[in-house]
Amino acid sequence: MIGDARSDVRVTITGLGAYAPERVITNDELAQMVDTSDEWIVERTGIRERRIAADSQALSDLSLPAVRQALEQAGSDGTDVDLLIVATVTPDMMFPSTSALLADQLGATDAAAYDLSAGCTGFMYALAQAYGMVASGLSRRALVVGGDVLSRILDWSDRSTVVLFGDGAGAVVLEPSEEAGFLAFELGADGGGGEHLWLPGSGSRKFDDPDRLVKMNGREVFKFATRVLVSSAEAVLERCDVSVEDVDVYVPHQANVRIIDHATKKLGIPSERVVINVDRYGNTSSGSIPLALADAQADDRLRPGKLVLMTGMGAGLTWGSALMRWTEG
Ligand code: UT7
């Protein structure tokens, strides 16, 4: 699916927030649990540490501080949010949805609220949906949360996955705007590659003795990731007739520094325009892009007028890009 912003109603991000749990797990700590080393993890992934949720913290607990921060920036107390989408593969529980729980905590009594599952690309899918609802006039103030507590579904004896992931959440507020904001989206899925990153026993399909823990074929996902980060970004840029030199801030899914470097070089984006925080958080799945956006904002890189390119990829297999002109809010 690809489309540019043709609607009369322009839509932008008016608030942004992020939260990661306090507990830090370093590579050296992981090396005490599985057969790995700080050297291997840094060389193959660029990750140095990640945050892990406390036993008492579910996704809604990680999301709420991010949501409150985003709402404060948008000048809202949350009661006027009319759409709340949580992108995740680790909701508090299958139902009630985490979004319904959050809407209740905010007092957003008029909000449509639902969770969305598109692997690590979930935030990009949710962003596109919220964009569409605001652009059509169906929503006036939408809240999009991307977050995961992947530590709950990892096999802590599998060195090929535990070293990669971390927990975290981010949130953005979308509203109609005088200025441009979102320019285009490109989203896609290839279920044929689904077997390379999957969670057997997590749904209605029966398995003999499922352990309900993440299984991944890292090499296949690596190949897929390096391909789609480039093709999706190129598609959205071409759709807007924008050259890669015009991109001021590139926010790729934070999975692995080697994947990001590969995409950056292939696309021809100078490294100083790339946002990277995977070294500090690992891959936080749906939390990855909003956490990186929040870091870029904290570093004063998201100034009005800047052209921002975001691309996510993940389980499904799925991918998605958005191009936007950052606005005053
Ligand atoms: O949101 C999407 C989520 N998934 C991803 O982004 C994953 C994408 N894939 C990757 O990032 C990389 O494929 C990995 C980081 C997972 C693996 O890096 P790699 O360079 O592709 O390594 P590899 O799978 O080819 O494994 C090389 C060796 C193997 O040993 P042998 O067979 O050569 O003896 C692995 O068993 O490294 C071994 N290995 C490890 N060694 C130390 C795998 N994991 C580890 C580890 N520590 N944690």
Side-chain angles (χ1 to χ4, degrees):
M1 172 195 282
I2 185 162
D4 46 302
R6 288 169 190 276
S7 161
D8 292 345
V9 182
R10 292 163 167 183
V11 180
T12 197
I13 291 177
T14 56
L16 166 62
Y19 176 80
E22 278 175 27
R23 168 90 163 95
V24 174
I25 295 204
T26 62
N27 292 345
D28 284 337
E29 278 178 88
L30 280 180
Q32 290 166 16
M33 301 177 203
V34 290
D35 183 13
T36 191
S37 65
D38 176 54
E39 194 188 2
W40 191 95
I41 302 170
V42 172
E43 189 190 309
R44 302 287 180 123
T45 72
I47 298 167
R48 293 181 182 277
E49 59 185 43
R50 70 285 298 141
R51 305 292 188 92
I52 299 296
D55 281 350
S56 59
Q57 288 178 308
L59 179 65
S60 62
D61 304 308
L62 302 196
S63 303
L64 197 58
V67 162
R68 294 239 188 259
Q69 205 182 330
L71 286 169
E72 191 183 329
Q73 245 182 50
S76 160
D77 65 0
T79 55
D80 54 0
V81 166
D82 57 17
L83 171 67
L84 206 169
I85 311 175
V86 175
T88 188
V89 293
T90 50
D92 290 27
M93 54 198 97
M94 280 309 290
F95 54 88
S97 65
T98 300
S99 47
L101 297 174
L102 281 173
D104 181 57
Q105 284 171 303
L106 295 176
T109 48
D110 288 335
Y114 60 95
D115 294 353
L116 179 156
S117 162
C120 297
T121 320
F123 179 75
M124 300 309 299
Y125 271 58
L127 213 50
Q129 284 203 347
Y131 162 79
M133 292 215 214
V134 177
S136 71
L138 195 54
S139 165
R140 295 287 303 167
R141 181 169 272 157
L143 190 55
V144 174
V145 178
D148 270 302
V149 193
L150 284 189
S151 60
R152 294 282 196 275
I153 57 169
L154 291 178
D155 177 351
W156 283 85
S157 65
D158 176 7
R159 68 178 182 175
S160 70
T161 50
V162 279
V163 301
L164 300 177
F165 299 103
D167 301 333
V172 291
V173 178
L174 265 61
E175 293 180 74
S177 151
E178 295 288 305
E179 297 171 79
F182 289 101
L183 303 174
F185 290 91
E186 195 267 341
L187 305 170
D190 170 18
E195 63 188 6
H196 298 313
L197 183 50
W198 62 310
L199 193 59
S202 56
S204 57
R205 169 107 21 233
K206 285 198 171 183
F207 290 85
D208 293 335
D209 201 17
D211 58 11
R212 296 184 183 83
L213 299 173
V214 173
K215 308 273 179 295
M216 187 181 72
N217 179 341
R219 284 183 204 181
E220 286 301 323
V221 178
F222 193 97
K223 279 193 261 174
F224 159 78
T226 48
R227 183 164 46 83
V228 294
L229 281 190
V230 175
S231 58
S232 181
E234 285 180 344
V236 86
L237 290 171
E238 192 184 325
R239 183 75 179 200
C240 294
D241 205 11
V242 167
S243 142
V244 76
E245 284 92 63
D246 297 329
V247 173
D248 297 301
V249 185
Y250 173 48
V251 187
H253 175 44
Q254 305 288 309
N256 180 328
V257 164
R258 279 163 59 216
I259 294 174
I260 297 174
D261 281 350
H262 183 280
T264 306
K265 283 201 185 81
K266 199 91 197 276
L267 286 165
I269 300 179
S271 56
E272 63 274 13
R273 298 190 188 177
V274 185
V275 180
I276 296 184
N277 65 9
V278 67
D279 52 322
R280 286 179 288 129
Y281 296 114
N283 178 349
T284 55
S285 185
S286 274
S288 148
I289 288 183
L291 269 165
L293 278 174
D295 265 9
Q297 188 179 56
D299 293 341
D300 199 23
R301 295 172 71 176
L302 296 180
R303 301 218 190 104
K306 296 285 182 200
L307 195 63
V308 181
L309 170 66
M310 311 165 213
T311 302
M313 60 81 193
L317 298 168
T318 53
W319 65 90
S321 290
L323 188 67
M324 73 173 294
R325 179 95 41 209
W326 203 259
T327 58
E328 200 72 66

